[in-house]
Amino acid sequence: MSKMELKNYANEDWCDSLRRLRENSQGSGLSLKMQLDGLLRARHVTYWDYIRQDTLLSLQAPRTIVPDEMIFIVYHQISELYFRLILWEMEQLIDEGATVTADLFVNKIERINRYYEQLVSSFSIMVDGMDHHQFMQFRSALAPASGFQSLQYRLIDLHATALPHLVATAHRSQLTGYEPLDKLYRRIYWKEGAIDTKTGRKDLSLSEFEEKYDGLLLGKAARLEQRSLWSIYRRLASTYAVTDHCRSVLREFDVLANVKWPLVHLKAAMKHLHQASQPVESTGGTNWRKYLPPRYQQISYFPDLWTAEERDNWGRTYTYELMSKLVEA
Ligand code: HEM
């Protein structure tokens, strides 16, 4: 050991670290010596082990030999990872032990907005970055799987807002405010979207999703009833802690999640499924032309941050911009 190291060893920081390590070891039942010996023999962390590179790259399993199916799979996985980060930030605010100040709240929503901006701007990978003819070749191998069955996408809704805000538009105006949770959940917008209005039958991607996740989602809805971001916002607002900046960050979040992402996603569906010469059904089987546009779903996580006029025009301004770009293209 060099003189300098010995000096450091004696310095207070080192002593403090050793003292804390010993306290820790008393709690865990492992002696301090054993822990230090373990450190001596520990392997260095490598990038590939830490990032789990091999596992990550083993998770893409195309079902066809069509090259662009790889883009489709990887981009879905990238989106799911961003959803994961969004939920990660939300969970930290919702955590029972968390003290949520207005500053922390804004900071987390800003992070969430950053993730959504990435999701929105990168969606052109699905629109322009994937060959339509190749898409038509591999899509039939996927049915009835659909992004409609993304659990994380549904969880984001439940973490973000109160269940009545997620009820399908046709039922929303009839709500009394006294409906039990399970009734609200049954009326959630995406369930309505996958029911054939003529026959009343659920499509396969919905019934399979319900079988796997209804229990989990209902449990989450109960846990989040008083803890969603909407509830946190209301609590902060009741103590006058909500600033104009906070409101504008929340409005941006609402637009990104409920208008901009749904519209770039719709643009991909239009590009690949709405060929005038050859109308194609989606793999999930919903009436997507009616169901996907945000002006039809009318979902807003923070409805009282918008004027009545803004809510009436929900999604329209952006829809016009997007559709005109699509026509130009
Ligand atoms: C070429 C690319 C894509 C096409 C053509 C497409 C098409 C569709 C269609 C038609 C639906 C309605 C359900 C159905 O009938 O299947 C849907 C739903 C959905 N897709 Fe995609 N999709 C694409 C890419 C993606 C990507 C990359 C994601 C990212 C995870 C995604 C996530 C979702 C979600 C979350 C829903 C449910 C939306 C809602 O309930 O409002 N999709 N998609």
Side-chain angles (χ1 to χ4, degrees):
M1 208 180 269
S2 72
K3 269 193 185 160
M4 178 63 89
E5 279 172 323
L6 269 175
K7 203 171 148 210
N8 275 344
Y9 192 77
N11 107 7
E12 274 180 22
D13 272 4
W14 283 54
C15 293
D16 189 47
S17 301
L18 281 172
R19 188 181 46 76
R20 280 189 287 138
L21 203 59
R22 195 178 54 202
E23 279 167 15
N24 239 1
S25 70
Q26 280 162 355
S28 68
L30 280 176
S31 73
L32 177 59
K33 177 156 184 337
M34 197 178 283
Q35 287 198 53
L36 290 172
D37 284 350
L39 277 178
L40 266 179
R41 288 180 190 88
R43 247 194 261 145
H44 289 129
V45 181
T46 57
Y47 174 81
W48 50 91
D49 280 343
Y50 184 60
I51 300 300
R52 308 290 300 274
Q53 192 176 255
D54 289 348
T55 311
L56 187 64
L57 300 182
S58 72
L59 297 176
Q60 294 75 41
R63 295 175 71 91
T64 68
I65 53 164
V66 182
D68 279 9
E69 189 188 349
M70 185 58 106
I71 305 173
F72 189 73
I73 294 174
V74 171
Y75 188 71
H76 273 81
Q77 292 179 338
I78 290 170
S79 303
E80 288 291 342
L81 287 175
Y82 273 118
F83 293 164
R84 177 162 197 177
L85 284 176
I86 290 164
L87 283 165
W88 185 249
E89 301 301 341
M90 290 177 156
E91 278 293 344
Q92 289 172 64
L93 290 172
I94 284 160
D95 189 272
E96 270 145 50
T99 313
V100 182
T101 61
D103 282 350
L104 181 73
F105 190 57
V106 168
N107 178 278
K108 295 289 185 201
I109 305 290
E110 280 174 341
R111 287 183 179 195
I112 291 170
N113 289 352
R114 227 169 268 126
Y115 302 138
Y116 269 114
E117 277 158 15
Q118 294 300 314
L119 283 166
V120 169
S121 65
S122 61
F123 219 92
S124 59
I125 291 172
M126 289 287 97
V127 182
D128 308 312
M130 211 171 47
D131 182 85
H132 172 66
H133 298 289
Q134 291 198 30
F135 174 77
M136 294 306 284
Q137 283 166 15
F138 68 74
R139 66 182 292 283
S140 50
L142 317 175
S146 164
F148 182 87
Q149 296 174 318
S150 165
L151 173 66
Q152 293 201 103
Y153 192 82
R154 305 305 176 205
L155 283 172
I156 289 174
D157 281 349
L158 295 180
H159 281 70
T161 195
L163 210 42
H165 299 153
L166 300 173
V167 165
T169 30
H171 302 295
R172 219 176 293 157
S173 57
Q174 296 147 25
L175 295 180
T176 61
Y178 296 102
E179 286 79 8
L181 208 72
D182 60 330
K183 184 170 177 194
L184 293 172
Y185 179 74
R186 278 200 305 277
R187 296 272 154 87
I188 209 161
Y189 72 99
W190 47 269
K191 286 189 184 251
E192 299 278 320
I195 294 176
D196 187 319
T197 40
K198 286 195 200 102
T199 62
R201 277 185 48 205
K202 293 176 182 179
D203 69 37
L204 189 58
S205 50
L206 173 62
S207 50
E208 291 202 333
F209 182 77
E210 285 184 333
E211 200 181 314
K212 187 163 169 66
Y213 291 126
D214 258 0
L216 185 152
L217 285 171
L218 250 176
K220 286 278 182 191
R223 177 186 163 230
L224 291 164
E225 205 177 3
Q226 303 298 326
R227 312 194 59 81
S228 67
L229 301 193
W230 156 258
S231 304
I232 296 174
Y233 155 70
R234 297 280 289 214
R235 265 199 302 281
L236 290 171
S238 71
T239 63
Y240 304 101
V242 172
T243 59
D244 282 349
H245 177 60
C246 177
R247 269 184 284 272
S248 95
V249 167
L250 285 172
R251 279 164 61 105
E252 187 58 21
F253 169 35
D254 219 355
V255 169
L256 281 163
N258 294 312
V259 181
K260 290 189 178 175
W261 188 88
L263 280 178
V264 287
H265 173 257
L266 176 64
K267 190 174 170 184
M270 297 280 284
K271 156 95 188 258
H272 293 293
L273 301 174
H274 192 76
Q275 303 289 311
S277 55
Q278 179 196 10
V280 240
E281 285 317 308
S282 63
T283 50
T286 63
N287 182 2
W288 64 269
R289 289 170 195 80
K290 190 174 164 209
Y291 164 66
L292 287 180
R295 64 180 154 39
Y296 169 78
Q297 293 186 350
Q298 291 281 325
I299 298 297
S300 164
Y301 292 153
F302 304 95
D304 67 348
L305 288 181
W306 303 96
T307 63
E309 195 188 345
E310 282 169 327
R311 283 209 304 272
D312 285 346
N313 286 315
W314 195 242
R316 279 180 209 270
T317 328
Y318 295 100
T319 312
Y320 291 140
E321 271 173 33
L322 179 104
M323 291 309 160
S324 55
K325 277 191 197 135
L326 201 65
V327 170
E328 281 163 27

